[in-house]
Amino acid sequence: MSEWDEWEPYAAVLLAGGRSSRLDGIDKSGIELGGRTMLAWALDAVVDAMEVVVVGDPVMTERPVTFVREDPRFGGPVAALLTGVDALLRPRAYVGVTAVDMPFLRPRTLSRLREAAFGRDGAVLVGPDGRRQLAYVLSTARLAEIRPDHEGQHGMPLRTLLADLELVEVASEGDEHRDVDTWTDLKSL
């Protein structure tokens, strides 16, 4: 057992509340891939989280989770992330944050991010092209320090919120970095 496993249980926030405009407004969490919904795949990736908050409309799940909507609704990823963190029943030192549209994330992905984040501001998954993906493990204390006011959250890009954090970049393995933003993305999986 690693030092992380003994001392740092984590919570997870899954972002599932966007408009999905490039998918004609279809709720990404309900899209099926390999006979399972995107939400089911995302929940599998955070199976070892002590608590999971899904920021999106409630749907049936096999695992107990808390569903919330970002405030303001469709307020963007920062509003969703902070709403999710606020909904945690028990604050943790670190929170895993992923988009629901990344079906190739696995528990091992989050473990690697957690190990890299330990003792730091956080860690982020990076694709083969060097782009940061929406898969993070973040220090909740540092998030509290950089948190904008309620009005400032609306429409704020995640990269803007996290710009001052020192995030360890963790290279993706295989298809971990792939997401589904368009119908073409879905067909290519």
Short mmCIF file of all heavy atoms in Angstrom, two decimals, residues 127-151:
data_model
loop_
_atom_site.label_atom_id
_atom_site.label_comp_id
_atom_site.label_asym_id
_atom_site.label_seq_id
_atom_site.Cartn_x
_atom_site.Cartn_y
_atom_site.Cartn_z
N GLY A 127 -2.60 14.71 -23.06
CA GLY A 127 -2.66 13.85 -24.23
C GLY A 127 -1.35 13.82 -24.98
O GLY A 127 -0.43 14.60 -24.70
N PRO A 128 -1.23 12.94 -25.99
CA PRO A 128 0.00 12.82 -26.75
C PRO A 128 0.38 14.09 -27.51
O PRO A 128 1.54 14.30 -27.84
CB PRO A 128 -0.27 11.67 -27.72
CG PRO A 128 -1.68 11.32 -27.60
CD PRO A 128 -2.25 11.99 -26.40
N ASP A 129 -0.60 14.97 -27.74
CA ASP A 129 -0.32 16.24 -28.42
C ASP A 129 0.11 17.34 -27.45
O ASP A 129 0.34 18.47 -27.85
CB ASP A 129 -1.55 16.69 -29.21
CG ASP A 129 -2.78 16.92 -28.33
OD1 ASP A 129 -2.70 16.69 -27.10
OD2 ASP A 129 -3.83 17.31 -28.87
N GLY A 130 0.23 17.00 -26.16
CA GLY A 130 0.66 17.96 -25.15
C GLY A 130 -0.46 18.78 -24.54
O GLY A 130 -0.23 19.60 -23.65
N ARG A 131 -1.69 18.57 -25.01
CA ARG A 131 -2.84 19.32 -24.48
C ARG A 131 -3.33 18.73 -23.16
O ARG A 131 -3.42 17.51 -23.00
CB ARG A 131 -4.01 19.28 -25.47
CG ARG A 131 -3.87 20.23 -26.61
CD ARG A 131 -5.16 20.31 -27.41
NE ARG A 131 -6.26 19.76 -26.63
CZ ARG A 131 -7.34 19.20 -27.12
NH1 ARG A 131 -7.51 19.10 -28.39
NH2 ARG A 131 -8.28 18.72 -26.36
N ARG A 132 -3.66 19.63 -22.25
CA ARG A 132 -4.24 19.21 -20.97
C ARG A 132 -5.69 18.77 -21.19
O ARG A 132 -6.45 19.44 -21.88
CB ARG A 132 -4.20 20.35 -19.95
CG ARG A 132 -2.78 20.63 -19.49
CD ARG A 132 -2.74 21.74 -18.47
NE ARG A 132 -1.41 21.81 -17.88
CZ ARG A 132 -1.12 22.55 -16.83
NH1 ARG A 132 -2.05 23.29 -16.24
NH2 ARG A 132 0.10 22.56 -16.34
N GLN A 133 -6.02 17.66 -20.59
CA GLN A 133 -7.37 17.10 -20.72
C GLN A 133 -8.18 17.41 -19.46
O GLN A 133 -7.62 17.79 -18.43
CB GLN A 133 -7.27 15.59 -20.93
CG GLN A 133 -6.43 15.19 -22.11
CD GLN A 133 -6.93 15.77 -23.41
OE1 GLN A 133 -8.12 15.68 -23.73
NE2 GLN A 133 -6.05 16.38 -24.18
N LEU A 134 -9.48 17.20 -19.52
CA LEU A 134 -10.32 17.46 -18.35
C LEU A 134 -10.33 16.24 -17.44
O LEU A 134 -11.33 15.56 -17.27
CB LEU A 134 -11.73 17.86 -18.77
CG LEU A 134 -12.42 18.84 -17.82
CD1 LEU A 134 -13.63 19.49 -18.45
CD2 LEU A 134 -12.68 18.31 -16.46
N ALA A 135 -9.16 15.97 -16.89
CA ALA A 135 -8.97 14.90 -15.91
C ALA A 135 -7.88 15.39 -14.96
O ALA A 135 -6.71 15.49 -15.34
CB ALA A 135 -8.56 13.61 -16.60
N TYR A 136 -8.30 15.73 -13.74
CA TYR A 136 -7.42 16.34 -12.75
C TYR A 136 -7.55 15.65 -11.40
O TYR A 136 -8.58 15.06 -11.10
CB TYR A 136 -7.82 17.81 -12.50
CG TYR A 136 -7.69 18.75 -13.64
CD1 TYR A 136 -8.73 18.91 -14.56
CD2 TYR A 136 -6.55 19.52 -13.80
CE1 TYR A 136 -8.62 19.82 -15.61
CE2 TYR A 136 -6.44 20.44 -14.85
CZ TYR A 136 -7.48 20.57 -15.75
OH TYR A 136 -7.38 21.46 -16.78
N VAL A 137 -6.54 15.81 -10.59
CA VAL A 137 -6.65 15.64 -9.14
C VAL A 137 -6.12 16.94 -8.57
O VAL A 137 -5.01 17.36 -8.89
CB VAL A 137 -5.86 14.41 -8.63
CG1 VAL A 137 -5.80 14.43 -7.10
CG2 VAL A 137 -6.51 13.13 -9.12
N LEU A 138 -6.95 17.61 -7.76
CA LEU A 138 -6.64 18.95 -7.27
C LEU A 138 -6.70 19.02 -5.75
O LEU A 138 -7.56 18.38 -5.13
CB LEU A 138 -7.62 19.96 -7.86
CG LEU A 138 -7.68 20.04 -9.37
CD1 LEU A 138 -8.88 20.87 -9.82
CD2 LEU A 138 -6.39 20.61 -9.93
N SER A 139 -5.83 19.82 -5.19
CA SER A 139 -5.87 20.11 -3.76
C SER A 139 -7.09 20.97 -3.47
O SER A 139 -7.25 22.05 -4.05
CB SER A 139 -4.59 20.85 -3.36
OG SER A 139 -4.78 21.52 -2.13
N THR A 140 -7.95 20.53 -2.57
CA THR A 140 -9.13 21.32 -2.25
C THR A 140 -8.75 22.60 -1.49
O THR A 140 -9.43 23.62 -1.64
CB THR A 140 -10.16 20.51 -1.44
OG1 THR A 140 -9.52 19.94 -0.31
CG2 THR A 140 -10.76 19.41 -2.30
N ALA A 141 -7.67 22.58 -0.75
CA ALA A 141 -7.21 23.79 -0.05
C ALA A 141 -6.77 24.85 -1.07
O ALA A 141 -7.11 26.03 -0.93
CB ALA A 141 -6.07 23.47 0.90
N ARG A 142 -6.05 24.44 -2.09
CA ARG A 142 -5.61 25.39 -3.12
C ARG A 142 -6.80 25.89 -3.95
O ARG A 142 -6.85 27.06 -4.33
CB ARG A 142 -4.56 24.76 -4.03
CG ARG A 142 -3.23 24.57 -3.36
CD ARG A 142 -2.53 25.91 -3.07
NE ARG A 142 -2.02 26.47 -4.32
CZ ARG A 142 -2.15 27.74 -4.67
NH1 ARG A 142 -2.74 28.61 -3.88
NH2 ARG A 142 -1.67 28.17 -5.83
N LEU A 143 -7.77 25.01 -4.20
CA LEU A 143 -8.97 25.45 -4.90
C LEU A 143 -9.68 26.54 -4.11
O LEU A 143 -10.15 27.53 -4.68
CB LEU A 143 -9.95 24.28 -5.11
CG LEU A 143 -9.82 23.47 -6.38
CD1 LEU A 143 -10.84 22.35 -6.39
CD2 LEU A 143 -9.94 24.32 -7.62
N ALA A 144 -9.76 26.38 -2.81
CA ALA A 144 -10.41 27.38 -1.96
C ALA A 144 -9.67 28.72 -2.04
O ALA A 144 -10.29 29.78 -2.03
CB ALA A 144 -10.49 26.89 -0.52
N GLU A 145 -8.35 28.66 -2.14
CA GLU A 145 -7.55 29.89 -2.20
C GLU A 145 -7.75 30.67 -3.50
O GLU A 145 -7.66 31.90 -3.51
CB GLU A 145 -6.06 29.56 -2.04
CG GLU A 145 -5.68 29.09 -0.66
CD GLU A 145 -4.25 28.58 -0.59
OE1 GLU A 145 -3.49 28.75 -1.56
OE2 GLU A 145 -3.89 27.98 0.44
N ILE A 146 -7.99 29.98 -4.59
CA ILE A 146 -8.11 30.65 -5.90
C ILE A 146 -9.56 30.83 -6.34
O ILE A 146 -9.82 31.36 -7.42
CB ILE A 146 -7.33 29.89 -6.99
CG1 ILE A 146 -7.92 28.48 -7.19
CG2 ILE A 146 -5.84 29.85 -6.67
CD1 ILE A 146 -7.37 27.74 -8.38
N ARG A 147 -10.47 30.45 -5.50
CA ARG A 147 -11.90 30.47 -5.85
C ARG A 147 -12.38 31.89 -6.14
O ARG A 147 -12.25 32.77 -5.30
CB ARG A 147 -12.70 29.88 -4.70
CG ARG A 147 -14.17 29.76 -4.99
CD ARG A 147 -14.94 29.27 -3.78
NE ARG A 147 -16.32 29.05 -4.15
CZ ARG A 147 -16.93 27.87 -4.08
NH1 ARG A 147 -16.30 26.82 -3.61
NH2 ARG A 147 -18.19 27.77 -4.45
N PRO A 148 -12.99 32.11 -7.31
CA PRO A 148 -13.57 33.42 -7.61
C PRO A 148 -14.92 33.56 -6.90
O PRO A 148 -15.50 32.58 -6.45
CB PRO A 148 -13.74 33.40 -9.12
CG PRO A 148 -13.92 31.96 -9.45
CD PRO A 148 -13.10 31.19 -8.44
N ASP A 149 -15.42 34.79 -6.85
CA ASP A 149 -16.76 34.98 -6.29
C ASP A 149 -17.78 34.34 -7.22
O ASP A 149 -17.46 33.91 -8.34
CB ASP A 149 -17.06 36.46 -6.04
CG ASP A 149 -17.10 37.29 -7.33
OD1 ASP A 149 -17.30 36.74 -8.42
OD2 ASP A 149 -16.94 38.52 -7.22
N HIS A 150 -19.02 34.27 -6.75
CA HIS A 150 -20.07 33.56 -7.49
C HIS A 150 -20.23 34.11 -8.91
O HIS A 150 -20.32 33.35 -9.87
CB HIS A 150 -21.39 33.63 -6.72
CG HIS A 150 -22.47 32.82 -7.33
ND1 HIS A 150 -22.47 31.44 -7.29
CD2 HIS A 150 -23.58 33.17 -8.01
CE1 HIS A 150 -23.52 30.98 -7.92
NE2 HIS A 150 -24.22 32.02 -8.37
N GLU A 151 -20.27 35.41 -9.06
CA GLU A 151 -20.43 36.01 -10.39
C GLU A 151 -19.22 35.72 -11.27
O GLU A 151 -19.37 35.51 -12.47
CB GLU A 151 -20.63 37.52 -10.27
CG GLU A 151 -21.97 37.91 -9.70
CD GLU A 151 -23.14 37.41 -10.54
OE1 GLU A 151 -23.09 37.52 -11.78
OE2 GLU A 151 -24.10 36.90 -9.95
#
